Amino acid sequence: MSGQGGARRAGRRRAAPTVGRRARPGRAPLGPQATPRRACPGGGAPPPAPAPSAASPLPDTAPTPQGLLLTADFGADTVSFVDPERGTVASVTVGRAPYGVALGADGRAWVATAEGVAVVDTRTGVRVALIPYRTGTGPVTDGEYRGGGMGIALSPDGAHAYVGVDVPGTTGFLEVLDTASNEVTAVVPVGRRPFDVDVSADGAEVYVTGHDSFDVTAVAVDSLRPRRIEVAPYGTEGGLASWLKPHHAVVRPTDGQLLLPFEGERLAVVDPRTGRTRIEPMTADTHQHGAAVTADGRLLVVGTGAVRPGDGKGPSLTVRAPDGTERVYPLQGPHEDVAVSRDGRTAYVTGGYTRDGYWNGITVVALDTGATRRLPAGARPLGIAVL
């Protein structure tokens, strides 16, 4: 998701693209084939939570859960269990237009949907809860600008889930969930369109990336007091129409600094304690969205391609070493988010993308060579986790 138009470099301005609305595939329980359903009616308050899914367990022929990926299918109402070799092996209904996913050590996945936060037992492949938001987000809809949950993360001890809730046309909120009771316990105002949520290594702070407000909101867990940090290495000219906004952040494991990539040109390194930002150069020259960090400190960033033909390079995956050197691996078509295998050798890049040009699959990237393999999976997958 990006704003439309806006200046990129001095003397260069992006044109606003035409945003088309695609038909949504609808529900697809327990399988990759989707069956249409009617859109939910509009309304200013969140709908009541439906009963937990009665989905069957994962097929006996599937590998163990530790061999699977889990995708949030933004183009359906499902999450999909994906074998990295064979593709989708099962899909489970979770709620309208799922966006982000966070995986707990207990095997439960927390999924931010337009209707609420779904809780999925990944060991059985069953949704066990759907927790409605306290925040009124307007009509439950689909697409890039839909209201509801976006970024989501868990505390290090697994006791709390934190979800960024978008309210179209105004500022968003961070909702705090107690994972034992499955209840929302607090609501904190944050920036506009909370694309991403991250947590400090000690669990003391939560960081919410506000795409349309050019900021990160740091929320102290003990006091729930928000603190705005502007992150705008290109400035804020263009406002909502600018492309040059923050999308995803990661917390650097060595020092707790926040890393936010922009346009394959600038990496904003933010000290959350002081709010100061340092800029480092990047080399991909492409509009950037999802990011991840490996245990050894490599930063992986998804490039979606030039916003306007000739104004930047194509889709790619940047692999940035801790010393700042980069390898840029080309990808076929736009992608959105990325996760890394447990051995750190393979990246899984979701092809869902939040704008037009998405595809229903994952690109598997060998990080040592850059070799890629396209894997049909899910329905416009955005968020991804490695089980």
Side-chain angles (χ1 to χ4, degrees), residues 28-302:
L30 286 182
Q33 299 300 318
T35 54
R37 73 176 179 89
R38 294 186 303 172
C40 293
S53 168
S56 301
L58 291 171
D60 292 338
T61 55
T64 60
Q66 289 73 24
L68 297 180
L69 311 173
L70 187 71
T71 63
D73 297 332
F74 196 61
D77 297 336
T78 59
V79 292
S80 289
F81 292 83
V82 180
D83 183 315
E85 297 297 330
R86 297 187 293 137
T88 301
V89 297
S91 296
V92 177
T93 300
V94 290
R96 191 81 169 265
Y99 182 98
V101 58
L103 182 66
D106 60 359
R108 289 186 297 170
W110 299 77
V111 187
T113 81
E115 301 176 59
V117 174
V119 186
V120 176
D121 186 336
T122 64
R123 297 161 297 188
T124 61
V126 174
R127 191 195 75 192
V128 296
L130 180 61
I131 307 164
Y133 303 117
R134 281 194 190 174
T135 303
T137 61
V140 176
T141 60
D142 306 295
E144 178 177 359
Y145 299 101
R146 69 120 172 95
M150 299 187 74
I152 189 166
L154 289 168
S155 60
D157 62 5
H160 296 92
Y162 304 101
V163 59
V165 180
D166 179 42
V167 182
T170 187
T171 54
F173 292 88
L174 177 72
E175 296 207 1
V176 182
L177 284 71
D178 183 302
T179 59
S181 63
N182 288 346
E183 295 178 342
V184 176
T185 59
V187 179
V188 182
V190 294
R192 295 174 69 112
R193 282 216 284 169
F195 258 52
D196 197 17
V197 176
D198 298 275
V199 183
S200 63
D202 60 5
E205 286 196 315
V206 180
Y207 308 116
V208 185
T209 302
H211 176 267
D212 282 1
S213 47
F214 299 91
D215 60 23
V216 170
T217 302
V219 179
V221 168
D222 57 356
S223 67
L224 296 179
R225 182 174 301 169
R227 178 167 45 90
R228 180 180 184 269
I229 303 171
E230 182 174 288
V231 186
Y234 292 87
T236 60
E237 180 184 358
L240 293 178
S242 173
W243 286 100
L244 309 176
K245 305 170 186 174
H247 290 82
H248 288 250
V250 300
V251 179
R252 188 159 61 188
T254 54
D255 58 7
Q257 303 283 285
L258 303 179
L259 308 180
L260 294 94
F262 287 78
E263 300 300 304
E265 296 178 329
R266 303 179 186 182
L267 180 67
V269 182
V270 179
D271 185 337
R273 296 162 295 186
T274 65
R276 294 176 181 171
T277 299
R278 184 179 75 256
I279 302 299
E280 297 179 2
M282 299 188 74
T283 61
D285 190 19
T286 186
H287 190 62
Q288 290 176 316
H289 276 207
V293 65
T294 64
D296 60 5
R298 289 171 294 165
L299 173 66
L300 276 62
V301 187
V302 180

